[in-house]
Amino acid sequence: MAEKKTTTTSGIEIKEVYTEPAGLNELPGEFPFTRGIQKDMYRGKPWTMRQYAGFSTAEESNKRYHYLLSQGTMGLSVAFDLPTQIGYDSDHELAEGEVGKVGVAIDSLQDIEILFNGIELKNITTSMTINATAPVLLAMYIALAKKQGADLKQISGTVQNDILKEYAARGTYIYPPEASMRLITDVFEYCSKEVPKWNTISISGYHIREAGSTAVQELAFTLANGKAYLKAALQKGLDINVFAKRLSFFFNCHNNFFEEIAKFRAARRMWAHITKELGATDAGAQKLRFHSQTGGSTLTAQQPMNNIVRVSNQALAAVLGGTQSLHTNGYDEAISLPTEAAAKIALRTQQIIAFESGVTDTVDPLAGSYFIEALTNDIEKAAQIYIDKIDAMGGSVKAIEQDYIQQEIANSAYIYQNEIESGEKVLVGVNKFTEPEASAINVFRVDDSIRIKQSEKISALKSTRNNNAVTTSLQKLSEAAKGKENLMPFILNAVECYATLGEISDTLRHVFGEY
């Protein structure tokens, strides 16, 4: 009987023993950056410890932000509710039942002012998980920074702004692909001049993985999307040595410890070659910088305290893989939004890794491991096969339009679920080592009355703002959208007049249509 093969989650065969060195002579901070984008990595400074938070109203989320900052969080990561993500105000009929549920409800600049009340934007970095309405939320953030008197050349943060993965894996898109790509490149162009330290896109593999992809697929589809954004910006006439420096990535970190580390190392190497082939000569434009988050889909509602161990394992892999920024999930997130206690343990997990484990004392401590080097090479080869196939189709947009990427992810998700149900893949507390009754834990719920409160705020705002100025700003935005001008200044003007997110999004819907 033939011995059963051992493989990674992506199907890459793992040998019983590795005896041949990979012959890697690279140094950290040097092309192609396999070993890290800085020569000293965490010896210089630790990664940014972010906590992804946002729920209910801006007032409630503001309290959580102040708490997280008091506990040592180094950067905020804002979660928005679904109506905000797809361009509906809280009082829209389609927003019913969703206001404030999976993130904070933001309807206007007024909400952003409340969200960051008492927080100086010049002193923090802010990551915003927003895509279809990214230009609007970024405009609100810029408007608040201006009101605070901050130097726009110095404020820093990231807006996700990655619409291709929405078509492929997540679904919170509004406009057709061509119009969406225009908005994205408009943000690239505007920020390169006005907000040069802002990361104008976070190309996300996280949601691709959450939808059921393998590690290799996550890497391949994310980098293919990255190539599409590079080419779109080049077609707009932007300088790759300028705008590519402001591109960042957002990866998932799952349970297979060594595969995840190798994935991150392969990602840096592959992106360095992709940017170089497209004309980047500046080392800063060739570096893949990434934020990572522990795997939400790996969390279990059964025996939820086990998730603390899962998150620790994943966070350590992200650090050993060289992440620039990290969010650790709360142990209770398979059941509800994270409680304050769960958020604190998640943050302490990062702090213990940073200050007690010793893994930050040297750069790329697993380099030279026969296994890690071979696995890095194997993942790169497997991902390149996908990228070559997508290139042959005409790039990510064409591959998405042909349903190729979506189908590949769906197939992988189906296989994974079958392996769990058959017991071939062990999930502790789910299909092995189970308990007769689930342990009771505190859960965090958002009240449906939030929609009423938000609707009342919108009504009050519309009765006190200069509605003539709002109408004029939206008309100017509409005319600009019909032409070829950069839309960011027009969106910013509308935001500063206190036009709502829904009004701005509807203006663009009327011009671009919906997808």
Side-chain angles (χ1 to χ4, degrees), residues 41-43 47 257 315-316 319-320 350 352-366:
M41 285 303 286
Y42 307 132
R43 285 169 67 103
W47 61 93
F257 189 72
L316 182 58
V319 170
L320 290 171
Q350 295 200 52
I352 289 167
I353 292 171
F355 302 112
E356 296 186 20
S357 71
V359 298
T360 61
D361 292 344
T362 189
V363 182
D364 195 17
L366 294 183

Side-chain angles (χ1 to χ4, degrees), residues 154-202:
Q154 299 302 319
I155 66 165
S156 62
T158 304
V159 65
Q160 191 166 99
N161 204 25
D162 174 10
I163 206 67
L164 291 179
K165 66 94 174 50
E166 296 295 328
Y167 298 119
R170 193 162 172 269
T172 62
Y173 47 77
I174 302 174
Y175 317 111
E178 188 176 335
S180 295
M181 293 295 278
R182 174 188 172 182
L183 286 167
I184 288 166
T185 54
D186 279 357
V187 170
F188 288 178
E189 183 180 50
Y190 178 83
C191 289
S192 67
K193 298 171 184 173
E194 305 297 333
V195 199
K197 288 193 173 181
W198 195 267
N199 297 319
T200 49
I201 192 168
S202 177

Side-chain angles (χ1 to χ4, degrees), residues 350-482:
Q350 295 200 52
Q351 292 166 335
I352 289 167
I353 292 171
F355 302 112
E356 296 186 20
S357 71
V359 298
T360 61
D361 292 344
T362 189
V363 182
D364 195 17
L366 294 183
S369 155
Y370 298 161
F371 178 38
I372 284 292
E373 297 299 354
L375 192 53
T376 301
N377 294 338
D378 288 345
I379 287 175
E380 179 180 9
K381 290 173 188 172
Q384 191 61 51
I385 290 170
Y386 272 114
I387 291 174
D388 290 344
K389 191 175 290 187
I390 291 168
D391 283 345
M393 293 179 180
S396 277
V397 174
K398 295 295 183 186
I400 289 166
E401 288 174 349
Q402 294 174 42
D403 209 36
Y404 170 70
I405 292 176
Q406 298 93 309
Q407 197 56 54
E408 287 295 309
I409 294 170
N411 291 343
S412 294
Y414 178 75
I415 291 168
Y416 179 79
Q417 189 60 36
N418 279 347
E419 288 174 343
I420 292 171
E421 291 180 9
S422 69
E424 184 179 348
K425 186 177 290 293
V426 173
L427 281 187
V428 174
V430 177
N431 62 4
K432 200 165 186 177
F433 315 113
T434 56
E435 295 175 349
E437 292 182 14
S439 304
I441 66 167
N442 292 326
V443 294
F444 183 76
R445 299 288 185 215
V446 174
D447 197 285
D448 282 329
S449 65
I450 296 304
R451 182 169 183 251
I452 298 171
K453 293 176 183 176
Q454 283 298 114
S455 298
E456 288 171 349
K457 280 165 65 177
I458 293 170
S459 180
L461 174 70
K462 288 181 177 179
S463 69
T464 57
R465 68 185 184 181
N466 184 336
N467 284 300
N468 288 333
V470 170
T471 300
T472 300
S473 70
L474 294 176
Q475 287 172 344
K476 288 181 178 178
L477 173 61
S478 178
E479 289 305 311
K482 293 171 186 173

Side-chain angles (χ1 to χ4, degrees), residues 189-305:
E189 183 180 50
Y190 178 83
C191 289
S192 67
K193 298 171 184 173
E194 305 297 333
V195 199
K197 288 193 173 181
W198 195 267
N199 297 319
T200 49
I201 192 168
S202 177
I203 304 160
S204 177
Y206 185 85
H207 305 94
I208 290 171
R209 192 69 178 278
E210 290 293 286
S213 80
T214 65
V216 163
Q217 288 173 336
E218 177 194 359
L219 176 58
F221 299 157
T222 305
L223 294 188
N225 287 348
K227 283 182 75 172
Y229 293 126
L230 288 177
K231 289 180 177 179
L234 287 167
Q235 288 172 1
K236 197 178 180 72
L238 303 183
D239 182 351
I240 192 171
N241 284 318
V242 176
F243 75 79
K245 291 179 182 177
R246 301 269 52 97
L247 271 59
S248 65
F249 287 80
F250 174 24
F251 286 115
N252 209 308
C253 199
H254 259 235
N255 286 334
N256 193 305
F257 189 72
F258 295 110
E259 183 179 36
E260 295 302 304
I261 295 166
K263 178 187 76 180
F264 298 134
R265 299 174 88 249
R268 279 191 293 272
R269 183 193 296 167
M270 295 178 77
W271 186 247
H273 286 294
I274 287 169
T275 52
K276 187 176 182 180
E277 287 165 8
L278 289 175
T281 54
D282 189 310
Q286 298 167 341
K287 293 178 180 179
L288 181 146
R289 298 166 300 120
F290 73 99
H291 169 70
S292 50
Q293 180 175 338
T294 55
S297 62
T298 69
L299 303 178
T300 63
Q302 301 93 329
Q303 301 179 27
M305 299 304 283

